[in-house]
Each structure stands twice: as structure tokens, then as C-alpha cells.
Amino acid sequence: MKERTFGKTGLQLVVAVLAATPVLVGLEGILSGPEFLNVAAPWPVDLDSHFRFLSGFFLAVGIAWYSCIPHIETKTERFRLLAACTFAGGLARLFSLLTTGEPSAGHMAGLCVELFAVPALVWWQACVANKAAETARASGL
């Protein structure tokens, strides 16, 4: 039972906690626009539009992460697609860091999650999925 709790249930809990960030930040970005980042208005209308679009995408990705939680052991393709999207965002954030400079602590934390935690979650989900498949084979399912 301990292995199952550490495996599937633990993974579900970690995903639930981490997915709260894109959901909450996405909602705030949609509602507040660039002001969310303490940027003084006025800003270009195109910047506002692009920022809110990306915030909507961020919200959708967070909701999609939540859709993986039930039966997380069977959601490998969706999990990996979301991980690839999140990792790509982290690479873009790393490019910004290297070319523009260090962002705020919150963005640095996001960068660490995107480039380090997400690949670890992919590995963890694969272990959970493999264990579930082995258990199903052993029980004749």
C-alpha cells in the first residue's frame, strides 16, 4: 500500500498542487492583463491582447493538467503532451533569461518547475503507468 500511495496518489497530489499555478495565474492574467505584472499603463493594445491570449492558454493548460489526475496511470499521452508544452515554455523563459536578464523570483521558480520538475513528473508518471500495467497483467486484466 505504501508503494501505491507514493506512486499514484503521490503523483496525483503533486500534479494537483502544481496545476494550481497555471490556473490561478492564467485567470489573473485574463482579468488584469499586463497590470498583473505591475506594469504601468498605458501599454500597447497588441501587448494587452497577446498577454490575455497567453493567459487563456496558461489557464487551459492548467485545467488540462487537472484532467490527467483521475486515472493518471492511463493518461500517458496527454501527460507527455502537456509536459512538452510546459517544457517548451520553460525553454522560452530560459531564452529570455539569457538574452534579457533575470526575471522576478516567481518567474525563476516557474523556470525551475518547467525545466526540472516537469521532466521528473514525466518519469514518475511512466513508473506509475508501468506498475499499473504490470499489476493488470499479473491479475489477468
PDB file of all heavy atoms in Angstrom, residues 65-82:
ATOM      1  N   TRP A  65      -3.954  19.790 -17.135  1.00  0.00           N
ATOM      2  CA  TRP A  65      -3.186  19.016 -16.156  1.00  0.00           C
ATOM      3  C   TRP A  65      -4.135  18.355 -15.152  1.00  0.00           C
ATOM      4  O   TRP A  65      -3.958  17.191 -14.798  1.00  0.00           O
ATOM      5  CB  TRP A  65      -2.174  19.896 -15.403  1.00  0.00           C
ATOM      6  CG  TRP A  65      -0.876  20.112 -16.116  1.00  0.00           C
ATOM      7  CD1 TRP A  65      -0.422  21.278 -16.660  1.00  0.00           C
ATOM      8  CD2 TRP A  65       0.171  19.147 -16.339  1.00  0.00           C
ATOM      9  NE1 TRP A  65       0.826  21.085 -17.207  1.00  0.00           N
ATOM     10  CE2 TRP A  65       1.210  19.797 -17.023  1.00  0.00           C
ATOM     11  CE3 TRP A  65       0.307  17.797 -16.025  1.00  0.00           C
ATOM     12  CZ2 TRP A  65       2.381  19.148 -17.401  1.00  0.00           C
ATOM     13  CZ3 TRP A  65       1.465  17.140 -16.395  1.00  0.00           C
ATOM     14  CH2 TRP A  65       2.488  17.807 -17.078  1.00  0.00           C
ATOM     15  N   TYR A  66      -5.165  19.105 -14.715  1.00  0.00           N
ATOM     16  CA  TYR A  66      -6.131  18.519 -13.780  1.00  0.00           C
ATOM     17  C   TYR A  66      -6.870  17.346 -14.405  1.00  0.00           C
ATOM     18  O   TYR A  66      -7.235  16.403 -13.706  1.00  0.00           O
ATOM     19  CB  TYR A  66      -7.121  19.582 -13.280  1.00  0.00           C
ATOM     20  CG  TYR A  66      -6.582  20.407 -12.146  1.00  0.00           C
ATOM     21  CD1 TYR A  66      -6.314  21.757 -12.306  1.00  0.00           C
ATOM     22  CD2 TYR A  66      -6.328  19.831 -10.900  1.00  0.00           C
ATOM     23  CE1 TYR A  66      -5.802  22.514 -11.262  1.00  0.00           C
ATOM     24  CE2 TYR A  66      -5.817  20.579  -9.862  1.00  0.00           C
ATOM     25  CZ  TYR A  66      -5.559  21.917 -10.044  1.00  0.00           C
ATOM     26  OH  TYR A  66      -5.051  22.650  -9.001  1.00  0.00           O
ATOM     27  N   SER A  67      -7.089  17.383 -15.712  1.00  0.00           N
ATOM     28  CA  SER A  67      -7.802  16.279 -16.370  1.00  0.00           C
ATOM     29  C   SER A  67      -6.988  14.987 -16.358  1.00  0.00           C
ATOM     30  O   SER A  67      -7.542  13.910 -16.593  1.00  0.00           O
ATOM     31  CB  SER A  67      -8.177  16.659 -17.814  1.00  0.00           C
ATOM     32  OG  SER A  67      -7.053  16.594 -18.672  1.00  0.00           O
ATOM     33  N   CYS A  68      -5.706  15.084 -16.085  1.00  0.00           N
ATOM     34  CA  CYS A  68      -4.857  13.886 -16.012  1.00  0.00           C
ATOM     35  C   CYS A  68      -4.953  13.179 -14.662  1.00  0.00           C
ATOM     36  O   CYS A  68      -4.572  12.010 -14.549  1.00  0.00           O
ATOM     37  CB  CYS A  68      -3.390  14.263 -16.240  1.00  0.00           C
ATOM     38  SG  CYS A  68      -3.005  14.797 -17.898  1.00  0.00           S
ATOM     39  N   ILE A  69      -5.442  13.872 -13.649  1.00  0.00           N
ATOM     40  CA  ILE A  69      -5.362  13.335 -12.290  1.00  0.00           C
ATOM     41  C   ILE A  69      -6.176  12.057 -12.109  1.00  0.00           C
ATOM     42  O   ILE A  69      -5.637  11.059 -11.620  1.00  0.00           O
ATOM     43  CB  ILE A  69      -5.711  14.420 -11.254  1.00  0.00           C
ATOM     44  CG1 ILE A  69      -4.623  15.504 -11.286  1.00  0.00           C
ATOM     45  CG2 ILE A  69      -5.846  13.820  -9.852  1.00  0.00           C
ATOM     46  CD1 ILE A  69      -4.907  16.720 -10.435  1.00  0.00           C
ATOM     47  N   PRO A  70      -7.455  12.029 -12.510  1.00  0.00           N
ATOM     48  CA  PRO A  70      -8.163  10.748 -12.381  1.00  0.00           C
ATOM     49  C   PRO A  70      -7.523   9.733 -13.350  1.00  0.00           C
ATOM     50  O   PRO A  70      -7.260  10.067 -14.506  1.00  0.00           O
ATOM     51  CB  PRO A  70      -9.594  11.068 -12.815  1.00  0.00           C
ATOM     52  CG  PRO A  70      -9.711  12.552 -12.805  1.00  0.00           C
ATOM     53  CD  PRO A  70      -8.331  13.091 -13.030  1.00  0.00           C
ATOM     54  N   HIS A  71      -7.243   8.571 -12.894  1.00  0.00           N
ATOM     55  CA  HIS A  71      -6.639   7.511 -13.720  1.00  0.00           C
ATOM     56  C   HIS A  71      -5.336   7.988 -14.364  1.00  0.00           C
ATOM     57  O   HIS A  71      -5.086   7.750 -15.538  1.00  0.00           O
ATOM     58  CB  HIS A  71      -7.632   7.017 -14.781  1.00  0.00           C
ATOM     59  CG  HIS A  71      -8.962   6.653 -14.220  1.00  0.00           C
ATOM     60  ND1 HIS A  71      -9.152   5.537 -13.431  1.00  0.00           N
ATOM     61  CD2 HIS A  71     -10.167   7.266 -14.307  1.00  0.00           C
ATOM     62  CE1 HIS A  71     -10.421   5.477 -13.061  1.00  0.00           C
ATOM     63  NE2 HIS A  71     -11.059   6.521 -13.571  1.00  0.00           N
ATOM     64  N   ILE A  72      -4.515   8.651 -13.564  1.00  0.00           N
ATOM     65  CA  ILE A  72      -3.273   9.227 -14.065  1.00  0.00           C
ATOM     66  C   ILE A  72      -2.370   8.185 -14.706  1.00  0.00           C
ATOM     67  O   ILE A  72      -1.582   8.490 -15.598  1.00  0.00           O
ATOM     68  CB  ILE A  72      -2.543  10.004 -12.941  1.00  0.00           C
ATOM     69  CG1 ILE A  72      -1.556  11.015 -13.531  1.00  0.00           C
ATOM     70  CG2 ILE A  72      -1.894   9.054 -11.927  1.00  0.00           C
ATOM     71  CD1 ILE A  72      -1.089  12.059 -12.535  1.00  0.00           C
ATOM     72  N   GLU A  73      -2.526   6.944 -14.296  1.00  0.00           N
ATOM     73  CA  GLU A  73      -1.702   5.864 -14.834  1.00  0.00           C
ATOM     74  C   GLU A  73      -2.045   5.544 -16.292  1.00  0.00           C
ATOM     75  O   GLU A  73      -1.257   4.906 -16.992  1.00  0.00           O
ATOM     76  CB  GLU A  73      -1.813   4.608 -13.955  1.00  0.00           C
ATOM     77  CG  GLU A  73      -3.141   3.877 -14.041  1.00  0.00           C
ATOM     78  CD  GLU A  73      -4.265   4.501 -13.222  1.00  0.00           C
ATOM     79  OE1 GLU A  73      -4.115   5.606 -12.669  1.00  0.00           O
ATOM     80  OE2 GLU A  73      -5.331   3.843 -13.135  1.00  0.00           O
ATOM     81  N   THR A  74      -3.202   5.987 -16.769  1.00  0.00           N
ATOM     82  CA  THR A  74      -3.615   5.706 -18.154  1.00  0.00           C
ATOM     83  C   THR A  74      -3.530   6.943 -19.052  1.00  0.00           C
ATOM     84  O   THR A  74      -3.861   6.860 -20.240  1.00  0.00           O
ATOM     85  CB  THR A  74      -5.060   5.175 -18.206  1.00  0.00           C
ATOM     86  OG1 THR A  74      -5.952   6.208 -17.771  1.00  0.00           O
ATOM     87  CG2 THR A  74      -5.231   3.936 -17.344  1.00  0.00           C
ATOM     88  N   LYS A  75      -3.095   8.053 -18.527  1.00  0.00           N
ATOM     89  CA  LYS A  75      -3.095   9.316 -19.278  1.00  0.00           C
ATOM     90  C   LYS A  75      -1.702   9.685 -19.801  1.00  0.00           C
ATOM     91  O   LYS A  75      -1.369  10.859 -19.920  1.00  0.00           O
ATOM     92  CB  LYS A  75      -3.617  10.452 -18.393  1.00  0.00           C
ATOM     93  CG  LYS A  75      -5.016  10.271 -17.842  1.00  0.00           C
ATOM     94  CD  LYS A  75      -6.036  10.412 -18.921  1.00  0.00           C
ATOM     95  CE  LYS A  75      -7.471  10.526 -18.520  1.00  0.00           C
ATOM     96  NZ  LYS A  75      -8.016   9.971 -17.378  1.00  0.00           N
ATOM     97  N   THR A  76      -0.914   8.697 -20.177  1.00  0.00           N
ATOM     98  CA  THR A  76       0.481   8.939 -20.553  1.00  0.00           C
ATOM     99  C   THR A  76       0.615   9.895 -21.736  1.00  0.00           C
ATOM    100  O   THR A  76       1.420  10.831 -21.688  1.00  0.00           O
ATOM    101  CB  THR A  76       1.184   7.605 -20.859  1.00  0.00           C
ATOM    102  OG1 THR A  76       1.117   6.794 -19.678  1.00  0.00           O
ATOM    103  CG2 THR A  76       2.645   7.820 -21.234  1.00  0.00           C
ATOM    104  N   GLU A  77      -0.155   9.696 -22.789  1.00  0.00           N
ATOM    105  CA  GLU A  77      -0.009  10.561 -23.967  1.00  0.00           C
ATOM    106  C   GLU A  77      -0.353  12.010 -23.636  1.00  0.00           C
ATOM    107  O   GLU A  77       0.378  12.934 -23.997  1.00  0.00           O
ATOM    108  CB  GLU A  77      -0.885  10.068 -25.113  1.00  0.00           C
ATOM    109  CG  GLU A  77      -0.359   8.795 -25.745  1.00  0.00           C
ATOM    110  CD  GLU A  77      -1.211   8.322 -26.907  1.00  0.00           C
ATOM    111  OE1 GLU A  77      -1.955   9.135 -27.497  1.00  0.00           O
ATOM    112  OE2 GLU A  77      -1.123   7.122 -27.227  1.00  0.00           O
ATOM    113  N   ARG A  78      -1.471  12.224 -22.970  1.00  0.00           N
ATOM    114  CA  ARG A  78      -1.880  13.580 -22.587  1.00  0.00           C
ATOM    115  C   ARG A  78      -0.858  14.197 -21.645  1.00  0.00           C
ATOM    116  O   ARG A  78      -0.484  15.358 -21.781  1.00  0.00           O
ATOM    117  CB  ARG A  78      -3.259  13.559 -21.932  1.00  0.00           C
ATOM    118  CG  ARG A  78      -3.758  14.936 -21.547  1.00  0.00           C
ATOM    119  CD  ARG A  78      -5.104  14.890 -20.872  1.00  0.00           C
ATOM    120  NE  ARG A  78      -6.028  14.072 -21.635  1.00  0.00           N
ATOM    121  CZ  ARG A  78      -7.224  13.709 -21.211  1.00  0.00           C
ATOM    122  NH1 ARG A  78      -7.658  14.118 -20.028  1.00  0.00           N
ATOM    123  NH2 ARG A  78      -8.013  12.975 -21.947  1.00  0.00           N
ATOM    124  N   PHE A  79      -0.410  13.416 -20.679  1.00  0.00           N
ATOM    125  CA  PHE A  79       0.566  13.880 -19.695  1.00  0.00           C
ATOM    126  C   PHE A  79       1.838  14.352 -20.396  1.00  0.00           C
ATOM    127  O   PHE A  79       2.363  15.428 -20.107  1.00  0.00           O
ATOM    128  CB  PHE A  79       0.873  12.735 -18.714  1.00  0.00           C
ATOM    129  CG  PHE A  79       1.477  13.170 -17.421  1.00  0.00           C
ATOM    130  CD1 PHE A  79       0.679  13.436 -16.323  1.00  0.00           C
ATOM    131  CD2 PHE A  79       2.849  13.302 -17.283  1.00  0.00           C
ATOM    132  CE1 PHE A  79       1.237  13.820 -15.109  1.00  0.00           C
ATOM    133  CE2 PHE A  79       3.412  13.690 -16.083  1.00  0.00           C
ATOM    134  CZ  PHE A  79       2.603  13.950 -14.993  1.00  0.00           C
ATOM    135  N   ARG A  80       2.316  13.545 -21.352  1.00  0.00           N
ATOM    136  CA  ARG A  80       3.556  13.897 -22.054  1.00  0.00           C
ATOM    137  C   ARG A  80       3.372  15.111 -22.958  1.00  0.00           C
ATOM    138  O   ARG A  80       4.287  15.921 -23.107  1.00  0.00           O
ATOM    139  CB  ARG A  80       4.076  12.699 -22.826  1.00  0.00           C
ATOM    140  CG  ARG A  80       4.630  11.637 -21.892  1.00  0.00           C
ATOM    141  CD  ARG A  80       5.180  10.457 -22.622  1.00  0.00           C
ATOM    142  NE  ARG A  80       5.673   9.476 -21.656  1.00  0.00           N
ATOM    143  CZ  ARG A  80       6.132   8.281 -21.990  1.00  0.00           C
ATOM    144  NH1 ARG A  80       6.166   7.913 -23.256  1.00  0.00           N
ATOM    145  NH2 ARG A  80       6.559   7.454 -21.063  1.00  0.00           N
ATOM    146  N   LEU A  81       2.212  15.234 -23.585  1.00  0.00           N
ATOM    147  CA  LEU A  81       1.950  16.411 -24.417  1.00  0.00           C
ATOM    148  C   LEU A  81       1.956  17.680 -23.562  1.00  0.00           C
ATOM    149  O   LEU A  81       2.575  18.690 -23.923  1.00  0.00           O
ATOM    150  CB  LEU A  81       0.618  16.271 -25.151  1.00  0.00           C
ATOM    151  CG  LEU A  81       0.185  17.487 -25.971  1.00  0.00           C
ATOM    152  CD1 LEU A  81       1.200  17.802 -27.067  1.00  0.00           C
ATOM    153  CD2 LEU A  81      -1.199  17.249 -26.557  1.00  0.00           C
ATOM    154  N   LEU A  82       1.276  17.637 -22.426  1.00  0.00           N
ATOM    155  CA  LEU A  82       1.256  18.794 -21.530  1.00  0.00           C
ATOM    156  C   LEU A  82       2.654  19.086 -20.993  1.00  0.00           C
ATOM    157  O   LEU A  82       3.049  20.251 -20.870  1.00  0.00           O
ATOM    158  CB  LEU A  82       0.282  18.570 -20.382  1.00  0.00           C
ATOM    159  CG  LEU A  82      -1.188  18.559 -20.802  1.00  0.00           C
ATOM    160  CD1 LEU A  82      -2.054  18.023 -19.674  1.00  0.00           C
ATOM    161  CD2 LEU A  82      -1.622  19.946 -21.219  1.00  0.00           C
TER     162      LEU A  82
END
